[in-house]
Amino acid sequence: MRSNFETRAMTMVAAAVAVVCTTVLTGCGGANTVLPDLNTVPAGVTDLGAKAYRATSTGAANTAAGQDLLTGGLGKSGIASTAAASLTAYADPANPTADELRRNAIQSNYRGLVDNTANGGYGVLYGPNIDLAGNNTRGEGLVPGVEYTGVLDDGSGRKRVTMVVQVPDSFDVNAPCVVVGPSSGSRGVYGAIASAGDWGLKRGCAVALTDAGKGMGLYDLGDDTVHRIDGTRATRSVAGTLSHFAANITDAARAAFNAAFPNRVAIKHAHSQINPEKDWGTDTLSAASYALYVLNQQYAPAVPTTNSKGIRFTAANTLVIAASVSNGGGAVLRAAELDTTGLIDGVVAGEPSAQPATTAGYGVQVGGVPVASYGKSVMDYFTIANLYQPCAALATSAALSEVSVYNYLGLTAQTTTATNRCTQLAAKGLVSGATTADQAADALSKLRAAGWTSDNDTMHNAHYALGNAVIISMMYTNAYGRISVADNLCGMSAAAVAAGAPAAMAATVKAASYATGNGTINGTPATVIYNDSVGGAKAWNLGVSPSTGVADFSLDAALCQRALFTGVDTVTGATLTAASTPTKAQSDAVRAGVAEVLLNGNLRGKPTLMLAGRSDALLPINHSERAYAAYNRSVEGANSKLRYIEVTNAQHFDSFIAFSGFDTRFVPLHTYFVQAMNAMYANLKNGTALPPSQVVRTTARGGAPGAAPAIAAANVPAISAAPTAADQIGFAGTSLNVPN
């Protein structure tokens, strides 16, 4: 590891002088002076060039001249506003321009990661207008600069990872820094704009964003259209090498599929057949390398007798922080594990999808009491959630009492279907109890036994109403197994919906999908479809299982997806065969894909801050952050520089806090991501010690649902440099011990 920022800055100055000196063939070292190394694009990357986004005030954000790097020209007010439709309107809704799509993609991605209400903290504790010290000093918060776009491929033409490097005009060549931000969730290239992007641009760092092989790659099997890299749409043949994603299917097979299953689409993360998650770490490292190339293109002197720039910025003289949240948090951890050259200096992982390769050799305790279930893979616990969450949501302790929350999420209308799920689980011997109440209580107890906690109880209903477990179970089984879209794994596909059934996607919806979609099959613009539903294909939440004959949230598909992970029939326990549904071969493929994405726990001594919300019911902390912290210690021992921060009254989706009922219960975890970034920068630049592992005890806003009082600094106390003994996270032997 390099020592500190000052030493590296001196190295940078010396390197810059050397470059300038050697550009004169007969000077400095004489006639035999060797020309400096040439700046070259990293292997596998195609540089699509740079574009200036230098707006300093809000206005006409429909063109590049009216946009900036951070807010797409919308500013703090425009990011939060949906009232002024003119801010994000398309001149031609059927054919949005690349600049219009960029503007709207930045807005939707920023809003997707944070609560954009003032009472929740937007514009007060965080947001484009808030500086890194927490002060409201930045007006609308626009950041002018230059943006480069690159595409990483493996030579197959199918990988197509999009990378964007933003260089703010405030970049300091004498104190260079890069923040690398892989996207959260399945989002596109701007999927870390509100986290890594916001902090890095305010600090004056270059920001390297990447979709890590995910993104809004929507392929319409009906008309053979794709997204180009810039978000505009074209047929696959017209898009050519600028196609973001098209399913690997022949025209003959596509025609046959369309005849049997009309109006279906493929989504890149689910249907690329390359298991993109296995490369999230290497994609993050490639984005960091591309960022150094971009900085040299911008600032290094030209090398005489060539058409190239020299090399002024390297990993040895440029501060590099890999930082993101959720799936992006998992990606930066994996990048650190794979970084054998010292490219990354520090890591900040917020609510990461951290999947340990083993549960052997370590444990997790809470208040000194061992946790029974920890360290499960994403596919393991999501297929469990997909089975039991809708029934568990009816349990007394899981109920959200706020009627407005129920109505907003559609829970009231789904009570009958959830009751059917409980009844059918009981009929198949998967829950016990003679009444719905008893069955729901048992389903909730199974979730707790599988690693969820009582802090998660009231989040199960919201997560299932939004389809999170269904969407992830469908997408990730396809992704891990490298399953073709034409295979309809477990009887499921993706399509737009009208009257509950698959329908042709509106042209304007498809045209805008790069900006509106988040890379998942969450209804915008496509929904998970249960093809095998009795009476014909229906949206998953309306699915009638053939084995039950009732609307039960497509239970048979959930049973199939669980079997893909376990290798046995979910009801009978019989080993899968070539004739079973799913087949043994499909299960073997899915489980092999899961094995490819597990983390090894070796962060190579890199300073790392990992954050989690204690109430996270999407990525349960016993399986993710707590388990990974313990695993890392078992692997690295005393060399570990990982610090783990667990925040009470915080959960996975800060954007949920805008909902009535969630506003009273939860605080934004994003405020702690900003603090962690500040702490990491201070550590790498000045040698300031990282804060110890700890529980940060926040205070919920309380009040009336939908009218919680405005958040104050007292609700979100700072991460402590010296936490009390009662708040310290430590180890009891080989077990991580988290205080109650």
Side-chain angles (χ1 to χ4, degrees):
M1 287 296 294
R2 296 175 288 273
S3 56
N4 56 48
F5 186 75
E6 285 77 11
T7 299
R8 297 169 58 199
M10 292 173 64
T11 305
M12 181 208 71
V13 172
V17 171
V19 169
V20 174
C21 178
T22 54
T23 59
V24 182
L25 291 176
T26 59
C28 301
N32 294 323
T33 298
V34 177
L35 287 173
D37 290 335
L38 302 182
N39 188 39
T40 57
V41 183
V45 175
T46 299
D47 179 22
L48 300 183
K51 199 168 186 178
Y53 296 100
R54 287 208 161 92
T56 55
S57 61
T58 56
N62 58 322
T63 65
Q67 294 188 27
D68 72 311
L69 299 180
L70 179 58
T71 74
L74 297 172
K76 168 252 181 184
S77 301
I79 288 290
S81 174
T82 55
S86 60
L87 287 175
T88 54
Y90 299 115
D92 179 0
N95 296 284
T97 67
D99 287 328
E100 290 174 329
L101 289 165
R102 176 187 184 273
R103 171 200 65 200
N104 290 5
I106 287 175
Q107 187 203 48
S108 64
N109 278 284
Y110 204 116
R111 291 165 60 92
L113 292 191
V114 300
D115 174 8
N116 66 307
T117 65
N119 278 1
Y122 181 80
V124 180
L125 298 179
Y126 56 86
N129 60 309
I130 304 298
D131 65 26
L132 296 182
N135 301 310
N136 186 358
T137 65
R138 305 188 69 256
E140 285 294 317
L142 276 68
V143 179
V146 175
E147 185 171 287
Y148 284 70
T149 301
V151 179
L152 171 68
D153 196 70
D154 58 4
S156 69
R158 296 171 55 201
K159 185 174 169 66
R160 313 298 291 164
V161 172
T162 306
M163 300 180 292
V164 159
V165 175
Q166 301 177 315
V167 186
D169 288 348
S170 59
F171 182 82
D172 184 353
V173 295
N174 295 311
C177 54
V178 172
V179 177
V180 189
S183 64
S184 66
S186 302
R187 294 180 179 274
V189 72
Y190 295 106
I193 193 70
S195 52
D198 183 276
W199 187 92
L201 292 173
K202 289 174 182 176
R203 177 61 68 187
C205 300
V207 171
L209 303 172
T210 177
D211 62 18
K214 303 169 288 180
M216 201 54 238
L218 172 69
Y219 174 62
D220 190 326
L221 286 99
D223 61 13
D224 202 28
T225 58
V226 301
H227 281 118
R228 296 185 181 96
I229 295 298
D230 65 6
T232 59
R233 290 193 67 79
T235 62
R236 174 169 40 172
S237 61
V238 169
T241 59
L242 293 179
S243 170
H244 183 47
F245 162 70
N248 186 27
I249 187 172
T250 66
D251 286 340
R254 182 169 64 85
F257 180 80
N258 287 334
F261 304 97
N263 302 317
R264 300 309 203 270
V265 298
I267 299 294
K268 184 175 184 179
H269 189 171
H271 299 124
S272 66
Q273 293 185 261
I274 60 174
N275 190 12
E277 187 176 345
K278 76 182 188 311
D279 297 330
W280 287 354
T282 55
D283 291 343
T284 301
L285 293 173
S286 293
S289 296
Y290 181 54
L292 293 175
Y293 163 80
V294 164
L295 292 179
N296 285 314
Q297 286 298 99
Q298 280 290 106
Y299 300 113
V303 178
T305 73
T306 75
N307 292 320
S308 300
K309 293 291 189 76
I311 296 178
R312 180 177 182 179
F313 301 98
T314 69
N317 60 36
T318 305
L319 189 66
V320 178
I321 301 174
S324 191
V325 302
S326 193
N327 279 347
V332 296
L333 292 174
R334 184 57 174 158
E337 291 180 349
L338 296 174
D339 182 20
T340 60
T341 65
L343 179 57
I344 295 172
D345 296 295
V347 176
V348 176
E351 52 197 339
S353 175
Q355 303 181 69
T358 181
T359 57
Y362 66 92
V364 175
Q365 298 179 3
V366 177
V369 178
V371 170
S373 183
Y374 58 88
K376 290 182 183 293
S377 70
V378 161
M379 198 74 269
D380 191 354
Y381 61 76
F382 266 102
T383 52
I384 293 172
N386 196 20
L387 279 176
Y388 295 111
Q389 268 187 335
C391 180
L394 300 178
T396 301
S397 61
L400 279 170
S401 59
E402 296 84 5
V403 173
S404 57
V405 176
Y406 271 95
N407 290 340
Y408 180 86
L409 297 174
L411 291 170
T412 301
Q414 295 186 42
T415 299
T416 298
T417 311
T419 301
N420 289 343
R421 172 62 72 92
C422 286
T423 302
Q424 298 308 319
L425 287 173
K428 294 179 185 296
L430 297 176
V431 297
S432 60
T435 67
T436 298
D438 291 340
Q439 293 158 4
D442 189 52
L444 183 60
S445 72
K446 291 185 183 303
L447 291 177
R448 288 200 189 170
W452 282 267
T453 71
S454 59
D455 290 283
N456 305 141
D457 284 358
T458 58
M459 294 300 293
H460 291 305
N461 37 37
H463 280 299
Y464 204 83
L466 291 170
N468 289 326
V470 177
I471 294 163
I472 298 301
S473 293
M474 183 273 196
M475 288 183 60
Y476 283 58
T477 48
N478 277 276
Y480 289 144
R482 293 177 169 85
I483 306 296
S484 168
V485 64
D487 288 342
N488 290 323
L489 186 64
C490 290
M492 288 194 145
S493 59
V497 169
M505 190 175 294
T508 54
V509 170
K510 190 161 48 176
S513 59
Y514 173 83
T516 57
N518 68 359
T520 68
I521 312 175
N522 70 339
T524 307
T527 295
V528 174
I529 302 296
Y530 186 40
N531 299 336
D532 296 343
S533 179
V534 175
K538 295 182 178 66
W540 68 269
N541 58 314
L542 303 175
V544 177
S545 294
S547 76
T548 68
V550 299
D552 53 13
F553 296 123
S554 309
L555 171 60
D556 284 358
L559 295 169
C560 173
Q561 288 157 347
R562 180 62 183 161
L564 284 168
F565 177 77
T566 62
V568 300
D569 184 283
T570 307
V571 176
T572 68
T575 301
L576 299 180
T577 68
S580 61
T581 301
T583 67
K584 180 180 185 300
Q586 289 173 328
S587 174
D588 288 346
V590 169
R591 290 190 287 170
V594 171
E596 289 181 307
V597 306
L598 302 180
L599 303 181
N600 65 35
N602 184 2
L603 292 170
R604 302 179 183 275
K606 296 183 188 298
T608 301
L609 278 168
M610 185 169 62
L611 312 169
R614 180 169 280 189
S615 298
D616 191 340
L618 186 77
L619 304 178
I621 55 179
N622 283 331
H623 297 311
S624 188
E625 297 89 352
R626 287 175 176 174
Y628 187 80
Y631 182 40
N632 166 258
R633 177 65 173 265
S634 73
V635 172
E636 288 199 274
N639 292 324
S640 173
K641 294 182 181 178
L642 170 66
R643 304 293 182 267
Y644 170 46
I645 311 298
E646 187 170 302
V647 182
T648 66
N649 303 309
Q651 46 81 48
H652 198 82
F653 294 111
D654 277 5
S655 57
F656 277 16
I657 302 173
F659 297 163
S660 173
F662 294 98
D663 57 343
T664 61
R665 300 168 186 259
F666 300 115
V667 301
L669 190 61
H670 179 67
T671 59
Y672 293 98
F673 179 86
V674 175
Q675 290 182 41
M677 291 296 291
N678 286 340
M680 183 57 65
Y681 185 78
N683 173 263
L684 297 173
K685 183 177 173 64
N686 304 318
T688 305
L690 291 176
S693 297
Q694 62 190 272
V695 173
V696 178
R697 302 189 188 277
T698 67
T699 302
R701 289 154 61 194
I711 197 167
N715 293 105
V716 282
I719 298 171
S720 176
T724 65
D727 294 334
Q728 292 175 14
I729 297 175
F731 282 85
T734 59
S735 292
L736 182 82
N737 187 44
V738 181
N740 287 314

